[in-house]
Amino acid sequence: TRTTRTTTRTTMLLRRGALVVLAALALTAQVAAVRDPGFRVHAPTNAEHNHEKVQVYYYMESLCPDCAKFGAGALSDAVDKLSDLMDLYVVAYGNERYNETTDKYTCQHGPEECYMNLVENCLDFYSNDDYRNYYPFFKCADEIAASVFPHVDGVSAKIMAKCGSTLPGNLTPQDLDACAKDSLGETLIAISKYNTDTLDPPHTYVPWVVVDKKPIHLTFNNISAIVCDEWSRLNDASPPAQCSQFFEASEAVEEAGVCYL
């Protein structure tokens, strides 16, 4: 039932430590009125059943060019080839700032970025927090953002028009737009703000990537090799065969660029 789905979703968020009590109550109240699109169902593999997975948290902002390059490049490779080895959680907030006096958010790359941060939080929510459902849209958006930067005016419309076909199930760009402009979007961005503001150590730039509770700093372009190493450590096992290509390529990875606070 819709009530059961709402309770389950709130529980998932609480397990991630992302919610204060008031935000949880607000989210629960609002979700009952939200349509429930059909989703792709991911079937767990034997590797997922039998081994501990690496926990990867990616803190980003939607129009940072370095986030876009990472999201469409090194992280996309990890998503495509290492999904059996890791769980990925993307937190779209980054260097966004909230002014308590004006009750307004401002973003490093302007209002378009604030809007897209809302959209990506809404997509994460509608996708049941499963990156295999939402990442195709994120990658498509990153490819566009990287290609147009620094000319970001109008980029959100381009992203919604071109990337809508990558959305899961029956979800539409209109659904995301409605969420972004409604109180649900406000609640979701507040959750991402809380997630980001309570990082320990605090982030100083984006992309900011945390692997099993430890930030990997400027080595994030080696994310696949890092995940493979960590998976091997967690499971006391040799890395799977698909890891060999990432170990071989790790020495040739380009220097990381970032968007500082």
Side-chain angles (χ1 to χ4, degrees):
T1 66
R2 189 178 300 277
T3 301
T4 301
R5 287 192 294 268
T6 299
T7 302
T8 301
R9 175 58 178 155
T10 303
T11 301
M12 289 170 62
L13 288 168
L14 283 166
R15 285 175 179 169
R16 289 177 57 189
L19 288 176
V20 292
V21 174
L22 289 177
L25 291 173
L27 183 59
T28 301
Q30 292 171 63
V31 175
V34 176
R35 67 185 289 275
D36 185 23
F39 295 109
R40 304 174 197 153
V41 177
H42 171 75
T45 65
N46 289 333
E48 290 180 90
H49 282 308
N50 299 329
H51 296 92
E52 186 173 354
K53 299 178 78 173
V54 179
Q55 302 300 297
V56 179
Y57 283 76
Y58 170 37
Y59 298 84
M60 50 79 76
E61 58 193 26
S62 56
L63 297 185
C64 166
D66 300 298
C67 291
K69 291 173 185 175
F70 175 61
L75 187 58
S76 178
D77 288 342
V79 167
D80 289 343
K81 297 173 182 176
L82 302 179
S83 63
D84 288 354
L85 311 186
M86 70 176 189
D87 288 324
L88 172 67
Y89 303 96
V90 181
V91 182
Y93 186 79
N95 300 331
E96 189 167 346
R97 285 291 175 263
Y98 174 68
N99 187 316
E100 292 185 5
T101 302
T102 62
D103 191 30
K104 300 291 184 183
Y105 289 90
T106 56
C107 292
Q108 207 167 27
H109 303 98
E112 296 259 7
E113 182 168 72
C114 284
Y115 172 73
M116 285 307 303
N117 285 351
L118 285 163
V119 165
E120 293 185 347
N121 274 280
C122 290
L123 176 54
D124 184 354
F125 175 79
Y126 282 133
S127 299
N128 294 323
D129 216 19
D130 188 335
Y131 70 94
R132 286 157 294 204
N133 288 333
Y134 65 70
Y135 206 81
F137 181 93
F138 275 53
K139 180 181 180 180
C140 179
D142 282 341
E143 288 172 343
I144 294 173
S147 70
V148 303
F149 190 84
H151 306 292
V152 297
D153 289 347
V155 69
S156 59
K158 293 177 183 177
I159 290 171
M160 297 293 257
K162 183 173 180 180
C163 303
S165 61
T166 68
L167 292 172
N170 299 321
L171 195 63
T172 68
Q174 290 74 28
D175 295 324
L176 297 181
D177 179 67
C179 171
K181 294 175 179 176
D182 191 33
S183 56
L184 177 58
E186 293 176 4
T187 300
L188 295 173
I189 200 70
I191 294 168
S192 287
K193 176 184 184 300
Y194 178 82
N195 271 333
T196 304
D197 289 350
T198 55
L199 278 167
D200 184 17
H203 87 289
T204 53
Y205 51 78
V206 289
W208 186 264
V209 183
V210 177
V211 175
D212 282 345
K213 300 182 180 180
K214 297 177 182 178
I216 62 173
H217 300 291
L218 294 176
T219 65
F220 55 78
N221 278 330
N222 274 324
I223 184 61
S224 292
I226 291 170
V227 166
C228 287
D229 274 334
E230 181 66 5
W231 185 92
S232 182
R233 184 192 70 80
L234 284 175
N235 295 285
D236 192 23
S238 298
Q242 67 262 42
C243 288
S244 60
Q245 63 184 295
F246 299 116
F247 292 138
E248 294 169 0
S250 62
E251 294 183 3
V253 170
E254 65 181 73
E255 183 177 349
V258 298
C259 292
Y260 285 99
L261 273 168

